[in-house]
Amino acid sequence: MLPRNDHDPRTPRTSRDRTPWKHLARVLSVLLLAVAAVLAPTATAQAAAPSRGWNDWSCKPSAAHPRPVVLVHGTLGNSVDNWLALAPYLVNRGYCVYSLDYGQLPNVPFFHGLGPIERSAGQLDAFVDRVLAATGVPEADLVGHSQGGMMPRWYLKFLGGAEKVNALVGIAPDNHGTTLLGLTKLLPHFPGAEDLIKASTPGLADQIAGSAFLTKLNAGGDTVPGVRYHVIATRYDEVVTPYRSQFLSGPDVTNVLIQDKCALDLSEHVAIGTVDRVAFHEVANALDPAHATPTTCLSVIG
């Protein structure tokens, strides 16, 4: 028997007809698995790891640090795994620190931030109210990683959060969406792909550059009065691309490329929010600008 030749017009077309759907499956797999692999810290850590001093509802802010800090995890993250390093870093510096889970989907444990982002912003609204009631202060500071640095802007802009928040610090936030290294630009070539993502993981769909959610969020300007904004990005970000889309425009905005502080910092999207002490030092500066010290490569031992 002669070997099959896919270029021979006599070859049955059944397998070749399925090629676009194979490509679609690859695109969807890359979109979802790449995000899962890059954004999600180890899920098993949540069950085993203690909070190491944060989410202490008896904590009262000090004169040195008069506002509680609310940590907002990224897509496919959760209130523990995303903050195993940064939360203790801030607690050890005297802050009252809290973290929440948001954007849960039914029957999906550990991996959150997948629900509609407008709904997630409502969960943040309720959590901040709870933190302010427990601590007895009028304002909080927010620190978010990835989606967690962008989603609070909806809360600030549309849910009255600007009256309750002093500063928003975004670590690798997808403020203007992501192309995911250009992969999202392939979706229109596969009918039904975008609808599938919107139906199954609306939180992912909302983060695609040009989405209806982001268009509304950024209409009329990136910021709202009364809130300080601090963005910390890495040029090696492989998830929120291009990385400069993370930066904000407007008054009371500070945009920082971490390699401008330490050229040796090779952190990518996950590391900058979960283990990078150079970035953590910049977070501490953003939370207390009156006592800020230079962020350098030596901040890793600070």
Side-chain angles (χ1 to χ4, degrees):
M1 178 180 295
L2 293 175
R4 175 174 171 169
N5 180 358
D6 285 341
H7 299 287
D8 190 331
R10 294 170 297 177
T11 300
R13 295 180 57 84
T14 303
S15 62
R16 287 189 290 166
D17 289 344
R18 290 198 300 265
T19 300
W21 296 106
K22 290 180 180 178
H23 289 170
L24 171 59
R26 289 195 189 103
V27 170
L28 292 177
S29 297
V30 170
L31 281 170
L32 297 177
L33 294 180
V35 173
V38 176
L39 286 178
T42 308
T44 55
Q46 186 190 43
S51 65
R52 300 186 189 178
W54 80 93
N55 282 335
D56 175 2
W57 295 96
S58 66
C59 185
K60 298 300 179 182
S62 65
H65 301 301
R67 291 176 299 276
V69 177
V70 175
L71 302 177
V72 190
H73 66 73
T75 307
L76 294 169
N78 59 63
S79 61
V80 174
D81 295 332
N82 216 137
W83 308 120
L84 291 173
L86 180 56
Y89 180 95
L90 295 175
V91 168
N92 291 341
R93 282 156 179 77
Y95 288 92
C96 293
V97 180
Y98 303 86
S99 62
L100 76 155
D101 289 310
Y102 71 86
Q104 300 92 330
L105 290 181
N107 303 315
V108 180
F110 304 122
F111 301 108
H112 304 318
L114 296 172
I117 298 182
E118 288 187 39
R119 187 176 68 193
S120 296
Q123 292 178 277
L124 176 61
D125 184 11
F127 189 82
V128 170
D129 283 350
R130 182 185 174 198
V131 168
L132 296 182
T135 55
V137 297
E139 287 186 321
D141 289 324
L142 308 181
V143 178
H145 179 212
S146 192
Q147 180 189 164
M150 173 272 291
M151 175 271 279
R153 292 178 50 225
W154 188 278
Y155 161 59
L156 299 177
K157 192 169 188 177
F158 299 113
L159 302 180
E163 298 178 357
K164 307 170 188 176
V165 172
N166 170 69
L168 169 61
V169 183
I171 308 171
D174 50 345
N175 281 315
H176 298 96
T178 179
T179 66
L180 203 60
L181 294 174
L183 288 172
T184 60
K185 295 180 180 179
L186 299 177
L187 290 174
H189 298 287
F190 299 96
E194 289 185 81
D195 291 339
L196 176 61
I197 295 175
K198 288 177 182 177
S200 58
T201 53
L204 291 181
D206 285 343
Q207 295 177 77
I208 295 174
S211 71
F213 171 83
L214 287 167
T215 298
K216 183 174 180 180
L217 174 63
N218 293 315
D222 292 346
T223 64
V224 295
V227 179
R228 290 189 298 105
Y229 297 82
H230 201 104
V231 175
I232 306 168
T234 171
R235 69 169 69 254
Y236 303 116
D237 200 310
E238 75 284 43
V239 175
V240 181
T241 58
Y243 75 84
R244 290 192 178 276
S245 68
Q246 301 173 26
F247 293 150
L248 296 171
S249 298
D252 294 322
V253 169
T254 301
N255 293 312
V256 173
L257 182 65
I258 203 65
Q259 283 75 30
D260 289 342
K261 301 293 184 178
C262 175
L264 300 177
D265 194 321
L266 301 180
S267 291
E268 42 64 67
H269 185 80
V270 171
I272 194 173
T274 58
V275 297
D276 186 350
R277 290 179 67 90
V278 176
F280 293 176
H281 185 272
E282 188 62 22
V283 169
N285 281 348
L287 293 174
D288 189 7
H291 299 94
T293 57
T295 299
T296 69
C297 293
L298 293 178
S299 299
V300 72
I301 59 175

